[in-house]
Amino acid sequence: MKAIEWIGDGSGFLRLLDQTRLPGEVAYRDCREVPDVVAAIRELAVRGAPAIGVAAAYGVVVGAGQGADWQDLGRKAAVALRQSRPTAVNLMWACDRMLRLLDSPDATRDRLLREADLIRAENAEMCRAISLHGAPLMPMSGGVLTHCNTGPLATADFGTALGVIAASWESGARFTVFVDETRPLLQGARLTVWELAQAGIDHSLICDNMAGLLMQQGKVQAVVVGADRIARNGDTANKIGTYSVAVLARYHGIPFYVAAPSTTFDMGIGAGTDIPIEERDPREITHGFGRSTAPAGVRAYNPAFDVTPAGLITAIVTERGVIDPVKEDKIRAVLGGD
Ligand code: MRU
C-alpha cells in the first residue's frame, strides 16, 4: 500500500492514499491538476513533513504535464505548492529543488519526473539511515512515547521517529510504544496506531493529557518525535503538543529525541520564534470528525504546531549522524556544509 504513487509516464498523475479517511477506509485521491495536489496537502490527505515534500515534487510534474509551455506551468505549480502549508520546510525545499531544475538547461519533462522520483528515493534512504542511527538510543524494554505520526505515511517510506522505533524492535528491543492520540486531528490514534499494528510493534494509545501521569509512574524511558522545521540553533517545530511532552520529559529526567532528515533543517532561520506556525480552522477543535463538541459559536484557537526549544532536546537524529548536544556548531558539524 503506497502513500504516494506516480501513475504513468511524464504526463501521468499523482495517486495519494487519502490519510483523512484512515483507518476506517483505504481510499485514494488521484491528482491530475495542480489544485488537486494543493488541496490534498491543505486538507491533510497527504501530510507529514517529508511526505508533503515528495507529493509537492510530483505536483510540479503534474503542473508541467499540462501544455506546450510546460516549463512555465511547472514554475507556477511550484510556486502554488510552496504556499500550500507554511510550517514544514521540506515542502519549500522540494519545490525549490524542482524550480532549480526547471530553470536549468537540462530541464525536460522526463527529467522532471526523474527528479521527483529521486527526491522520493533519497527521502527513503535518509529515513533508513535515521532509523539505524537512532535505534541504539531506544531502551531495550519499558516504554517509548511518541506524538503525532512519523511512519511511512508521513515520509512516503519507512519513517523517522517511527523508523527509529521499528529499527530498534527489529534489533531485538521489546518496549511498548505509548502513542499520544494527537488532538485535534488524531494522527496518533488514526495513523500511528494503524502503522504500529501492521508492523507488529507493541503499543498502547493514550490521550495527550495522560503523558505526564505515565512518566510519573515510570512507564516511559524515552520520547522520540519527528519535526517539521528545525532552526539553526536546534529549536524544533513539530505537531502541537510536542513542546508539552518535552517539558514533561525534562521534569521527569527522560531523554527526548527528535528524528528528522537534513531537509527539515532551515539554516536560514536563527531560532524557533521565526518559524511560521500554521493556524488551522477552529472547527477542527469544535467539530472534530463531524460531531459538534462545544457550544455553538464558541471562539477556538487552533495552532497546528509548536516549537520545542533546543535546550529541551537531548539529541536530534539525522541521516548524517546524531546531533548531541543540540547546538548550532554541532548541527553544522554533523550536517556538513549544506
Ligand atoms: O499536520 P501534520 O499531520 O502534517 O503534522 C505532522 C507532524 O507534525 C510530524 O510529526 C512531522 O511532520 C514529522 S513527519 C516524519
Side-chain angles (χ1 to χ4, degrees):
M1 200 179 299
K2 287 190 172 145
I4 300 176
E5 192 176 7
W6 182 262
I7 310 287
D9 59 11
S11 25
F13 62 91
L14 177 63
R15 176 164 288 165
L16 298 171
L17 176 61
D18 188 344
Q19 299 187 33
T20 63
R21 317 251 299 253
L22 289 172
E25 205 184 333
V26 175
Y28 292 90
R29 264 165 90 147
D30 288 346
C31 302
R32 294 170 196 275
E33 292 182 15
V34 176
D36 300 336
V37 187
V38 169
I41 293 174
R42 286 219 171 107
E43 293 163 21
L44 311 195
V46 59
R47 32 84 29 223
I52 60 176
V54 172
Y58 284 117
V60 175
V61 188
V62 168
Q66 287 167 5
D69 49 348
W70 60 271
Q71 255 167 306
D72 206 34
L73 289 167
R75 280 188 204 102
K76 285 193 177 114
V79 170
L81 287 155
R82 214 181 177 285
Q83 292 165 3
S84 52
R85 289 188 80 188
T87 303
V89 78
N90 309 59
L91 173 65
M92 295 79 189
W93 175 87
C95 290
D96 290 347
R97 182 161 154 179
M98 296 302 275
L99 274 170
R100 276 198 301 280
L101 175 60
L102 279 161
D103 288 338
S104 85
D106 307 336
T108 63
R109 280 170 58 185
D110 277 354
R111 234 347 270 288
L112 221 49
L113 177 56
R114 286 210 302 278
E115 192 73 359
D117 288 340
L118 195 62
I119 289 175
R120 184 206 176 106
E122 287 174 5
N123 192 54
E125 269 319 300
M126 286 190 273
C127 285
R128 244 176 274 274
I130 289 169
S131 305
L132 296 179
H133 285 304
L137 301 173
M138 296 293 101
M140 289 307 289
S141 58
V144 171
L145 187 135
T146 192
H147 192 76
C148 197
N149 172 259
T150 60
L153 290 168
T155 57
D157 219 325
F158 217 67
T160 55
L162 222 58
V164 168
I165 285 171
S168 177
W169 256 67
E170 245 166 64
S171 65
R174 285 295 173 266
F175 49 77
T176 293
V177 184
F178 291 108
V179 183
D180 278 354
E181 64 178 351
T182 317
R183 283 275 293 150
L185 294 180
L186 306 186
Q187 287 93 331
R190 295 186 301 106
L191 309 176
T192 302
V193 165
W194 191 69
E195 291 184 326
L196 286 170
Q198 286 180 37
I201 296 173
D202 189 64
H203 58 278
S204 278
L205 177 63
I206 59 168
C207 299
D208 299 345
N209 53 8
M210 297 172 185
L213 175 70
L214 266 72
M215 290 182 185
Q216 199 175 45
Q217 291 174 334
K219 291 188 168 128
V220 178
Q221 277 61 53
V223 176
V224 61
V225 298
D228 287 86
R229 194 187 292 224
I230 304 174
R232 66 171 177 266
N233 70 347
D235 290 353
T236 295
N238 191 49
K239 178 53 55 193
I240 189 75
T242 303
Y243 169 52
S244 317
V245 174
V247 171
L248 284 168
R250 172 57 54 92
Y251 182 80
H252 291 94
I254 296 166
F256 179 93
Y257 299 110
V258 170
S262 52
T263 48
T264 302
F265 286 77
D266 184 349
M267 299 304 273
I269 278 187
T273 41
D274 292 331
I275 298 177
I277 299 294
E278 178 180 10
E279 264 185 52
R280 294 186 62 87
D281 188 341
R283 287 178 64 88
E284 289 179 352
I285 298 178
T286 58
H287 292 72
F289 303 96
R291 181 165 170 241
S292 166
T293 53
V298 66
R299 191 166 58 231
Y301 173 50
N302 187 18
F305 299 95
D306 58 27
V307 175
T308 300
L312 293 179
I313 303 170
T314 310
I316 303 179
V317 185
T318 76
E319 78 278 13
R320 299 184 193 169
V322 177
I323 298 168
D324 178 10
V326 181
K327 300 224 180 277
E328 183 172 341
D329 54 347
K330 186 69 182 175
I331 292 174
R332 288 193 188 279
V334 172
L335 294 189
D338 288 344

